[in-house]
Amino acid sequence: MSALEMLPVYLSYPFVQAALVVGVLVALCCSLFGMTLVLNHQSFIGDSLSHVAFGAMAVSGMLQLVDNLVLTLVLTVACSVLLMRKGSTGNAQGDSSLAMLSVGALAVGYLLMNLFSNSANVAGDVCGVLFGSTSILTLTTSDVVISLVLALVVIAFFVISYHKIFLITFDEEYATAIGLPVEPIKMAMGIIMAVVIVISMNLVGALLITALVVFPVRAAMRLHHSYKSVMISSSVISVACVLVGMLVSIIVGTPVGSTIIAVDAVVYLVIAVVSYVRNVR
Amino acid sequence: MKKLLVSLMVLCALAGCSGGASAPSDSSGEVTDADVVEVTQEAVDTEAEEHVDEIDLTMMSPTMLFAEVVNMTRTPKKYDGAMVTLRGGLMILAVDLETGVGSYSCYVEDATKCCQRGIGFTIDRPLEDTSILVEGSEVIIKGTFEIYEMGGRNFVRIADCEIWPA
């Protein structure tokens, strides 16, 4: 039986079906919030938070927690709130705070995993968390449920607060002037951003999350110029790339996370070239 | 701000700590010299919605193979009694080298080859040719997936296997 002929067999497995559903919802969340991050020049906040999440997972492993997702979520949300309060863009102090947090969390996390690991294969654990090689296909039932609930909460938040987020993204001063609760909304967006980062780790790993957030949005911005069109396009591109990436990795036998990002990169390049040719003409 | 931090700490506390034996982690290589794969009592007690009678894992890509082996240890009831065919690396545990009868482990790797997952198997009948039993070589095994208890703990293995070089 050829690799392609095995696809219907693979799709019959419950863990593959769960992985595809979670993957699609995570892709949607990343594209929705990627818009805000890219437009606010905050792309690397996601990177920093993913490193914090890695450190938090190491702490969970050290404490032998039943479910490491809870502590990871709590610590990542706490750091996101602190970063949002400190104001992490547009000044040198904020930039260096991000750098310190990012590499510090990564280093401490790796150290803890080496010192306190109860696993026989630390390198494998680290590799799996950082690059998401098969994590999305080995989710426990509770992981799936938590990921689904959190993804739906994120999407609901974005749908409900769409106009407020739009205003705050493009003109924060005007939003403040008309009486919008800008700071609470920004804090909520920071929390939601941390949630998106944590649920994305199972899909692409801690090191590749930024690509999942940025590539679809930047590709969509090459095609469209209105906020709504970019949002819809980036969602379609993100979901399509995740689906294609996952299916290719399952059929061919490549790491899931990096395959998804490779597909994202190829799609971005193709769109960039098409856009360039279109503009030249 | 203080209230938020206290609330977050309370949530941490509710995450709880595991007491006894924990389920194997997704990417830990549970392959040690005296080891077969342990499964939790919860996994053993969980009834599967469907039962698999036979599964050929040699047809799968490395990504799916690794994930399926992990999931077999999560839902062992689904595969209990199933005929399993598996390709992987050979580890020799406790064996009569003249007959080949004894306990082994077959490990599979994911696509990055940094995550390994082993599953114990036994050869119960003397082999005609024991020269194929080379540590680290790739083999194909076919046997019956079973859950068994030892020392009050539950393990899974593939029992009464036939073995071929891959």
Side-chain angles (χ1 to χ4, degrees):
Chain A
M1 206 182 263
S2 71
L4 206 56
E5 286 169 346
M6 284 295 291
L7 184 59
V9 177
Y10 294 153
L11 292 176
S12 68
Y13 284 97
F15 66 86
V16 173
Q17 293 164 4
L20 289 172
V21 170
V22 170
V24 164
L25 287 175
V26 167
L28 200 51
C29 293
C30 286
S31 65
L32 292 177
F33 271 87
M35 285 279 297
T36 310
L37 293 182
V38 168
L39 290 171
N40 285 333
H41 308 288
Q42 292 178 329
S43 302
F44 271 104
I45 282 186
D47 202 50
S48 300
L49 289 178
S50 68
H51 293 178
V52 168
F54 171 78
M57 287 186 79
V59 172
S60 297
M62 183 183 76
L63 297 174
Q64 292 188 283
L65 296 183
V66 171
D67 192 340
N68 60 20
L69 197 61
V70 176
L71 181 62
T72 305
L73 201 55
V74 164
L75 289 178
T76 310
V77 165
C79 285
S80 180
V81 167
L82 286 169
L83 280 176
M84 297 301 282
R85 277 191 158 255
K86 202 174 166 60
S88 53
T89 59
N91 62 75
Q93 256 192 340
D95 186 51
S96 59
S97 296
L98 271 181
M100 285 161 53
L101 185 65
S102 176
V103 294
L106 198 60
V108 169
Y110 187 60
L111 189 62
L112 289 175
M113 285 182 96
N114 271 273
L115 290 176
F116 299 106
S117 174
N118 55 359
S119 159
N121 185 6
V122 174
D125 288 343
V126 172
C127 188
V129 173
L130 290 179
F131 295 102
S133 55
T134 47
S135 304
I136 192 69
L137 294 168
T138 55
L139 295 175
T140 62
T141 306
S142 65
D143 286 340
V144 173
V145 170
I146 291 172
S147 297
L148 288 177
V149 168
L150 290 175
L152 291 172
V153 166
V154 168
I155 293 167
F157 173 82
F158 192 85
V159 168
I160 292 167
S161 311
Y162 171 76
H163 292 290
K164 295 186 179 76
I165 294 171
F166 176 84
L167 267 176
I168 291 169
T169 301
F170 284 102
D171 197 340
E172 194 173 314
E173 285 179 10
Y174 175 71
T176 308
I178 63 169
L180 274 183
V182 172
E183 286 307 315
I185 291 174
K186 283 175 70 175
M187 206 56 60
M189 286 169 64
I191 292 171
I192 294 293
M193 182 165 51
V195 169
V196 172
I197 295 298
V198 169
I199 60 175
S200 301
M201 279 181 69
N202 280 323
L203 184 60
V204 295
L207 290 185
L208 301 177
I209 287 174
T210 304
L212 190 66
V213 167
V214 170
F215 269 120
V217 174
R218 290 303 306 267
M221 286 167 82
R222 286 274 187 171
L223 295 173
H224 304 285
H225 300 287
S226 79
Y227 185 82
K228 196 172 182 179
S229 300
V230 170
M231 189 183 71
I232 293 170
S233 278
S234 70
S235 300
V236 170
I237 292 169
S238 184
V239 169
C241 288
V242 162
L243 279 175
V244 170
M246 285 180 70
L247 291 175
V248 167
S249 74
I250 286 169
I251 294 170
V252 175
T254 53
V256 177
S258 51
T259 307
I260 290 171
I261 302 307
V263 172
D264 270 319
V266 166
V267 167
Y268 173 78
L269 279 173
V270 167
I271 290 175
V273 167
V274 166
S275 168
Y276 175 77
V277 167
R278 198 168 63 179
N279 289 339
V280 162
R281 283 183 185 172
Chain B
M1 184 62 184
K2 280 183 187 174
K3 283 182 186 174
L4 178 63
L5 283 174
V6 167
S7 304
L8 290 172
M9 293 302 163
V10 168
L11 272 174
C12 278
L14 289 174
C17 294
S18 64
S22 56
S25 73
D26 291 345
S27 59
S28 74
E30 300 262 341
V31 182
T32 64
D33 283 342
D35 199 68
V36 289
V37 177
E38 183 178 2
V39 294
T40 61
Q41 188 61 45
E42 185 188 350
V44 172
D45 292 339
T46 302
E47 287 296 332
E49 288 178 3
E50 56 174 330
H51 186 266
V52 173
D53 295 323
E54 186 168 1
I55 183 166
D56 184 356
L57 298 173
T58 62
M59 306 295 292
M60 289 187 172
S61 67
T63 301
M64 276 299 294
L65 173 60
F66 182 86
E68 174 65 354
V69 170
V70 170
N71 281 286
M72 284 171 77
T73 61
R74 290 238 180 91
T75 53
K77 270 280 181 70
K78 184 178 173 182
Y79 300 92
D80 194 19
M83 187 61 63
V84 175
T85 309
L86 172 66
R87 182 206 307 263
L90 179 67
M91 279 191 69
I92 300 172
L93 302 180
V95 168
D96 177 347
L97 290 173
E98 285 188 9
T99 62
V101 171
S103 299
Y104 302 79
S105 183
C106 184
Y107 61 89
V108 297
E109 297 173 319
D110 75 340
T112 59
K113 302 212 184 295
C114 65
C115 295
Q116 285 185 342
R117 188 73 173 187
I119 190 162
F121 71 93
T122 62
I123 294 176
D124 299 339
R125 288 166 281 169
L127 295 174
E128 289 179 9
D129 179 14
T130 58
S131 65
I132 60 173
L133 302 175
V134 177
E135 180 90 13
S137 65
E138 201 174 13
V139 294
I140 297 172
I141 61 171
K142 183 173 183 177
T144 308
F145 186 90
E146 67 176 23
I147 307 166
Y148 68 100
E149 193 184 321
M150 187 168 70
R153 295 157 72 181
N154 297 297
F155 300 88
V156 295
R157 66 184 173 194
I158 304 173
D160 193 20
C161 286
E162 298 172 73
I163 186 168
W164 305 269

